[in-house]
Amino acid sequence: MSDLRALDLSELQTHRSEKWRAFPKEVLPLPVAEMDFPVAEPIRQTLREMIDHSDLGYLGSIPEMGAAFAGFAQRRWGWTVDPQQVRIAADVGVGVVEVLRVVTKPGDTILINSPVYPNFYTWCIETHLEHVDVPLTQSAEHVNGSHWILDWDGIEKAYASGIKAHLISNPHNPLGRVYTRDELSRLAELAKKHKVYLLSDEIHAPLTYAEQSFTPFLAVSETAREVGITITAASKGWNIAGLKCAIIVTENAHLFETLNAIAPATHYRASLLGAFATVSAFEKGEPWLDALMVQLDHNRKLVAELIAAKTPGIGYLIPHCSYLAWLDLSRFNLGEDPSAVLIEKAKVAFVPGLRFGPQSSQCVRLNFATSPQILEEAFNRLATVLR
């Protein structure tokens, strides 16, 4: 295991973030996708220097961002990024919404694949788009170590129906699924054929485990670069969501020019602290990230061990990315919202599965980016209810 240790519960309960204020103190909060680990020292050093020098103004020009992300992408994934085609937004959600406002118009249709991050639905509503859902399906067939597979017949029908955009979670939240190069290439070819923009939310990409290779959508092919727009951030990989900075990346001159229609204020609404913390993460944060992945690898396997020992009826596939466990509670007959029962009876909070799609009402999402002790306590509590 790494030397990186999560903060203890008493300190975490002093935190001001949503994760630690949303529930009564007696409830263990394991829903919100933020981590319980100390922030990487290079990021803290950047923030200290800026605060100590009262450097807290508006965000302006920051050529360091494109260079920092390009360096990280090359080292981590072998992806050659054009630093000049990296632009800034306040967070990934803002980035997606502002891109959609440029490449679609109200009433257009966008494709999503549930179960998926709940804000995908929110962003569709915000941009006045109709969404069509082609859910991932479970199969005995395994693709890239997962039994969650894409419904290609459904996807091709959706593309042919006249959708304007396809929003994917790459790697996938909440399933921990890493898409293959072949899958992404097939999506790119469909998108080009049907004149569809493909938006790839790659916020969880830095958190891919060693047994899988993450493929950035824009690194797949020239076709992918013609149709694709990546929106990502350092916020998940380095636990700095509250600092408010994300990036929008293109690798095509025409698409870059198209996105020049994004409101200029999109850049300035990001945080000065967040932007330079993000640069520090991409430039100097890999040793911390590597240590983090050792701890998260331990935790994802610990979840499987705790389920086997204490709550064997829970369905769980060890994820290949991030720190989110997708738990199937359908064997326990807990009613319409199992998460509500678990808050009431076990004093443990998860994200309700229904938020990820209507077919997921009997699932919950657990955040295991915490200490083994907190995970063990959570499953001790669950064992009193899930019998």
Side-chain angles (χ1 to χ4, degrees), residues 69-127:
F69 181 68
F72 176 78
Q74 184 65 54
R75 292 189 302 273
R76 208 76 179 177
W77 307 308
W79 174 22
T80 302
V81 172
D82 178 359
Q84 301 302 314
Q85 293 198 48
V86 176
R87 63 183 89 214
I88 290 177
D91 58 34
V92 165
V94 170
V96 170
V97 165
E98 295 302 328
V99 168
L100 288 174
R101 283 176 172 156
V102 169
V103 302
T104 67
K105 62 182 186 298
D108 284 345
T109 303
I110 184 171
L111 173 63
I112 62 173
N113 308 103
S114 65
V116 75
Y117 177 50
N119 276 329
F120 275 33
Y121 301 98
T122 304
W123 302 335
C124 295
I125 294 168
E126 187 172 346
T127 49

Side-chain angles (χ1 to χ4, degrees), residues 29 65 111 124 150 162 169 219 234 262 282 285 292 317 349 376 384 387:
M65 181 67 77
L111 173 63
C124 295
L150 290 166
S169 180
I262 290 175
F282 289 142
L292 170 73
L317 280 177
E376 289 169 7
T384 66
R387 298 171 179 170

